[in-house]
Amino acid sequence: MPKIYLDNMEYQLTINKTRNRGISLKFYYPNEIIANANYRLTNDFIINQIFQNKDKIIKKFLKLIEQANKLKFEYLLSDQKIWLFGKLYEIIFSKDYKEIFIEESKIYIPVNLKTNKKYLTTIRQENIKYLQDMFNEILFRKFNNQFEVNLDFKNYRSRWGVCFHHSQKIILNTRLIHLPPNLIEVVIIHEIIHLIVPNHSRKFYLELYKYLPNYRYNKQQLNHYHMLLDKRY
C-alpha cells in the first residue's frame, strides 16, 4: 500500500480503478485513504487531485480522530470494549461461559467467539428481536399500523437502514444495536417516512419533522456514531 504525505502526516493510499466517472474518496481512521477512480485516470493525476484537496482531507481526518476518541474506537478494534444500546461495556473473554452474559458494565463472552470478531455477529443476531419489537412498537404508536412492512435485517457498512418504497420493504442494519435507543428510533422513523415519500425532497423533510421535530439535532447525534459502520468493526 503506497504512502503519501500531507503536511508531513503519513497516509496509506489505495487506488481502485472503476468504470465510474471521476474520483471518489473514502477515509478510514486513523490514516487510510481509498480512492475509487475511473480507469482512464492515471495514478499521478489522482494523487495530484488529493494534494489539491489536502486541507479538506486533513480536516476530515481530524474529525475522524475526534470521533474515534469519543467512541473509544481503538478499544473497539482491539476487542476490549463494545457499545450496546448506547452504553459502553468492558469485554471479558472467558472459558467459563458458554453463552454471552452481561453484568453491570461488563460483558462476558465465550473465548471461542473472539476469533475474527465472531462475537459481534453473535450479539447483533441475538438482538434482532429487540430491533424488530421496537420497529413494531413505533409503527403502532407513531403510524397506527397504517403500513404493512416487509422488515428485514442486514449488516451494512455504509448506512443504518434502507427503504424500498414500491415493495414496502425496510432493511435495518444489525449494527443499530450499538446506538442509544432514541437514535434507533430516529433511524426507524426515517425509513418509515420513506414509505410515504421515497426521496429526500422538501416534502420528505416536512413529513419527517412532524414526527421528529428535533431531527437536525438527532442527525448530529447520529453522525457521532458513524464510525461504528467501519469495515473493520
Side-chain angles (χ1 to χ4, degrees):
M1 186 181 295
K3 300 175 182 178
I4 62 171
Y5 292 86
L6 304 177
D7 284 357
N8 297 319
M9 294 294 293
E10 180 183 295
Y11 296 90
Q12 306 293 326
L13 174 64
T14 300
I15 297 176
N16 300 320
K17 295 299 181 69
T18 71
R19 292 189 174 274
N20 296 335
R21 297 177 62 184
I23 304 170
S24 67
L25 299 177
K26 293 185 178 180
F27 310 100
Y28 294 96
Y29 172 85
N31 65 340
E32 182 182 357
I33 301 172
I34 295 181
N36 296 310
N38 186 274
Y39 67 96
R40 292 190 178 93
L41 301 177
T42 66
N43 287 356
D44 286 343
F45 177 83
I46 296 166
I47 291 171
N48 183 57
Q49 291 298 303
I50 290 173
F51 280 120
Q52 287 188 23
N53 289 278
K54 69 172 185 176
D55 290 341
K56 292 181 180 178
I57 292 172
I58 291 171
K59 186 176 180 180
K60 176 68 175 178
F61 275 103
L62 289 175
K63 189 173 181 179
L64 282 177
I65 291 170
E66 180 184 2
Q67 190 179 82
N69 290 337
K70 289 181 179 178
L71 286 176
K72 311 295 183 186
F73 196 65
E74 292 288 355
Y75 293 101
L76 305 186
L77 292 182
S78 60
D79 303 318
Q80 296 181 61
K81 294 184 183 295
I82 183 173
W83 289 96
L84 275 181
F85 302 109
K87 182 178 177 180
L88 190 63
Y89 291 87
E90 178 187 355
I91 294 176
I92 298 176
F93 292 100
S94 173
K95 296 180 181 180
D96 299 328
Y97 289 86
K98 301 300 181 183
E99 297 180 349
I100 295 171
F101 176 74
I102 296 177
E103 184 178 51
E104 296 181 350
S105 61
K106 294 182 173 64
I107 179 166
Y108 297 87
I109 298 175
V111 70
N112 63 297
L113 294 181
K114 184 175 182 179
T115 305
N116 297 324
K117 295 187 181 294
K118 291 179 182 177
Y119 69 93
L120 284 175
T121 301
T122 301
I123 290 172
R124 288 165 183 164
Q125 289 297 315
E126 287 181 352
N127 282 281
I128 281 178
K129 180 64 164 57
Y130 176 92
L131 296 177
Q132 194 167 31
D133 289 345
M134 189 172 184
F135 181 92
N136 291 334
E137 189 274 331
I138 292 170
L139 191 62
F140 173 76
R141 172 168 49 90
K142 294 277 191 177
F143 299 91
N144 199 28
N145 281 342
Q146 63 178 294
F147 304 107
E148 291 188 13
V149 182
N150 179 12
L151 182 63
D152 202 358
F153 300 88
K154 287 186 179 179
N155 178 25
Y156 286 123
R157 295 178 178 177
S158 60
R159 60 180 78 181
W160 294 113
V162 62
C163 175
F164 298 94
H165 174 79
H166 294 295
S167 60
Q168 299 280 285
K169 182 174 184 177
I170 289 176
I171 301 177
L172 296 179
N173 194 337
T174 55
R175 297 179 184 224
L176 282 170
I177 67 156
H178 302 299
L179 304 184
N182 67 305
L183 294 183
I184 299 175
E185 180 165 334
V186 169
V187 173
I188 289 173
I189 292 174
H190 181 112
E191 298 308 330
I192 292 175
I193 296 298
H194 276 309
L195 296 173
I196 304 171
V197 186
N199 50 42
H200 286 110
S201 63
R202 183 172 181 271
K203 182 179 178 181
F204 169 83
Y205 286 105
L206 287 174
E207 193 70 28
L208 182 65
Y209 274 94
K210 292 179 185 177
Y211 298 89
L212 295 170
N214 296 317
Y215 179 72
R216 181 170 295 184
Y217 174 70
N218 299 146
K219 181 67 172 176
Q220 290 174 349
Q221 286 185 307
L222 196 56
N223 287 340
H224 292 322
Y225 290 90
H226 185 76
M227 192 171 284
L228 297 183
L229 297 173
D230 191 284
K231 61 183 179 178
R232 296 163 292 177
Y233 188 58

